[in-house]
Amino acid sequence: MALDDHAEELASALGVDKEEVEADLEKLVEYSVPIDEAKDSLRRKYGDGGGGGEPSAKELAEVSTADSAVTVRGVVLTVGKRSIRYQGDDLVIREGELADESGKISYTAWEEFDLAPGDTVEIVGVGVREWEGSPELNLGSETTVETDDEPLDVPYDVGGDTHLSELAPGDRGVALEIRVAEVERKTIDGRDGETEILSGVFADETGRLPFTDWDPHGEIEEGASVGIENAYVREFRGVPSVNVSEFSTVNALDHGVETGDGAPRMSVREAVATEGLFDVEVAGNVLEVRDGSGLIQRCPECGRVVQKGQCRSHGDVDGEDDLRVKAIVDDGTDSLTAVLGTDLTADVYGGGIEVAREAARDAMDQEVVADDIRESIVGREFRVRGTLSVDDYGANLEATNFTACDDDPTDRAHELLDGAEGAATDETAADGGTIDGVSSDGTTDDGAGEPRRGDE
């Protein structure tokens, strides 16, 4: 059904002017709102027979995806700017966060409203859509923005100054001071053909994250300390990734940014609860080496693991030999799958691909390689460092380091127990409960009362 037909059907059902409905419908569809959702939004708007009127004023915490248009008052926390391609056209949008006393919300402005961090503004007739599961304000041609001279005190910092460990996918207008830990210049097949970019790793005192610079800045070179304004964050392979664009400002700093040498150490449960980390270290016992480990074959086209000569994407192929380990690591709090690539697997096995091929030929069974690896590591304790991703199929840690533990497991067990007991103490005391028969107020209780490319 054409948009005109949708508008005519909707206008007839609601008893309102078709041209007005069609204009609203076109605007919502232009903002990437699905047609059914757009029609529902207009039904809510005109459900009183087309009375229209001033959009209701709401605190930001009250705004929901059930709202078609609202009036809000708040402080502009951040303003980002970037280019997107929509239906073949290049558009420049502004985006960031707005806050009031009740909370904060993200916004996208499809036109220039001259927003600046720290401004207190009243926004009338702003649309609402769902973005990544949460409501987002959409400022368009029907939106009015007025600066309010009376400041609004909000419990949030103005501006995008932050640290790498605090970033999450969806953050916009971010400002950072970082050291370039790794950088590589690449040519990719972009939306306008071959495009040169920079990619690598940023670091600060709180951690490390991958980055992409879509408009290579000369200041971003290995070892340099730089300040970046107007960056945004996307999810890449299950972890936050910093994106630098043509609208980002990058300046060399007159001081060096301090960085930590190691990755944060966590229990497996703590790590899994983050739902993804670029660089983390856990320690635990290897309970099992999963099928698909040892000497494997990969598709020469896409790098996927080949099963019985068949690639899931390219069909019948001559697989290329490789080494891999998929080990279940458990520390008593939770478990994850540690994935070791070619080099780490060779270290564990005690030989590279040629050694593994020879062993498989001698035994006339390539599974002998995985069996030798199982004998070497199952039941032993290891520290594993790498990139953690968590999805519906479980938690996977793409290992960059895999080393046998040389510290006292008893001491570490006591550390875990102390941490767990401390957390339980805090939680129970906050609830006014009891710990070992003693309540938070001191009285006794008599008892009445939580890829490598192509890996599968």
Side-chain angles (χ1 to χ4, degrees):
M1 185 183 291
L3 189 68
D4 183 73
D5 295 329
H6 283 292
E8 184 171 357
E9 178 186 72
L10 199 56
S12 176
L14 297 172
V16 294
D17 181 70
K18 177 193 170 183
E19 290 185 0
E20 185 176 355
V21 170
E22 187 169 10
D24 285 343
L25 201 57
E26 286 179 345
K27 192 179 309 301
L28 290 169
V29 171
E30 180 182 325
Y31 292 162
S32 301
V33 178
I35 187 66
D36 289 339
E37 184 180 327
K39 290 168 70 175
D40 285 343
S41 178
L42 294 184
R43 287 190 187 99
R44 291 191 294 270
K45 177 178 179 180
Y46 295 109
D48 59 354
E54 185 88 352
S56 60
K58 289 194 171 187
E59 291 188 334
L60 294 180
E62 299 175 336
V63 175
S64 76
T65 53
D67 296 314
S68 57
V70 294
T71 293
V72 296
R73 180 172 180 265
V75 176
V76 179
L77 298 182
T78 58
V79 180
K81 182 180 179 182
R82 64 186 175 98
S83 172
I84 65 170
R85 178 158 293 178
Y86 177 72
Q87 294 184 346
D89 295 326
D90 290 329
L91 304 176
V92 176
I93 61 172
R94 278 77 176 173
E95 54 187 3
E97 286 188 313
L98 187 75
D100 64 10
E101 300 96 328
S102 71
K104 58 183 179 179
I105 193 170
S106 63
Y107 70 84
T108 296
W110 299 88
E111 298 184 6
E112 174 58 74
F113 288 96
D114 199 25
L115 300 172
D119 284 351
T120 298
V121 296
E122 182 178 54
I123 307 177
V124 180
V126 59
V128 183
R129 72 166 180 172
E130 181 177 327
W131 179 251
E132 296 186 347
S134 300
E136 179 187 73
L137 302 178
N138 271 253
L139 287 69
S141 59
E142 300 298 316
T143 305
T144 301
V145 178
E146 295 182 358
T147 302
D148 193 332
D149 293 332
E150 184 178 347
L152 185 65
D153 188 22
V154 298
Y156 304 99
D157 293 331
V158 173
D161 293 348
T162 188
H163 293 100
L164 293 176
S165 64
E166 299 169 345
L167 296 180
D171 288 345
R172 291 80 81 83
V174 169
L176 298 163
E177 288 192 353
I178 55 86
R179 183 185 295 274
V180 184
E182 302 172 20
V183 63
E184 178 183 5
R185 188 174 292 267
K186 296 180 178 179
T187 300
I188 64 168
D189 186 13
R191 66 189 188 188
D192 295 316
E194 288 193 348
T195 303
E196 197 169 74
I197 64 169
L198 299 179
S199 67
V201 178
F202 286 156
D204 66 13
E205 64 269 27
T206 69
R208 294 155 52 93
L209 282 181
F211 79 88
T212 300
D213 183 359
W214 299 97
D215 185 47
H217 292 77
E219 296 84 359
I220 297 180
E221 55 185 11
E222 190 159 331
S225 292
V226 298
I228 301 173
E229 296 181 1
N230 189 21
Y232 61 97
V233 184
R234 287 179 174 169
E235 182 176 303
F236 179 68
R237 294 181 179 174
V239 300
S241 176
V242 181
N243 285 255
V244 184
S245 75
E246 60 187 301
F247 299 108
S248 302
T249 301
V250 181
N251 292 308
L253 297 176
D254 58 5
H255 60 278
V257 173
E258 296 295 328
T259 63
D261 293 331
R265 292 185 178 182
M266 297 184 179
S267 71
V268 175
R269 179 165 56 186
E270 289 173 331
V272 172
T274 68
E275 299 186 350
L277 289 167
F278 177 67
D279 192 21
V280 65
E281 182 178 89
V282 300
N285 291 299
V286 175
L287 302 185
E288 177 188 352
V289 171
R290 293 175 54 187
D291 292 342
S293 297
L295 183 63
I296 62 172
Q297 284 72 45
R298 294 187 182 276
C299 173
E301 297 294 326
C302 66
R304 291 183 182 275
V305 174
V306 173
Q307 303 287 351
K308 297 181 179 179
Q310 292 290 314
C311 171
R312 204 165 54 181
S313 298
H314 297 92
D316 190 14
V317 297
D318 291 328
E320 297 177 343
D321 287 337
D322 196 8
L323 291 173
R324 179 180 71 175
V325 171
K326 300 175 74 174
I328 305 297
V329 176
D330 191 306
D331 70 346
T333 68
D334 205 341
S335 63
L336 53 75
T337 300
V339 182
L340 281 61
T342 310
D343 293 339
L344 287 180
T345 300
D347 291 341
V348 167
Y349 178 57
I353 293 175
E354 286 299 330
V355 174
R357 284 196 192 113
E358 184 175 348
R361 283 194 297 266
D362 290 345
M364 292 186 292
D365 181 7
Q366 74 176 40
E367 188 62 24
V368 69
V369 178
D371 289 340
D372 287 345
I373 291 172
R374 289 186 180 94
E375 187 175 339
S376 174
I377 66 175
V378 170
R380 297 179 60 198
E381 191 175 30
F382 291 86
R383 287 198 177 277
V384 193
R385 178 177 178 178
T387 297
L388 176 71
S389 60
V390 183
D391 57 27
D392 292 340
Y393 300 99
N396 291 282
L397 185 61
E398 297 282 343
T400 55
N401 285 288
F402 185 78
T403 56
C405 289
D406 56 5
D407 54 354
D408 188 342
T410 303
D411 291 342
R412 189 163 61 258
H414 282 304
E415 289 177 9
L416 287 172
L417 287 173
D418 290 343
E421 290 173 356
T425 300
D426 293 342
E427 182 176 351
T428 307
D431 291 342
T434 64
I435 304 164
D436 294 333
V438 181
S439 70
S440 58
D441 62 2
T443 60
T444 60
D445 182 0
D446 61 6
E450 184 211 19
R452 172 188 168 104
R453 177 176 65 92
D455 277 339
E456 300 179 276

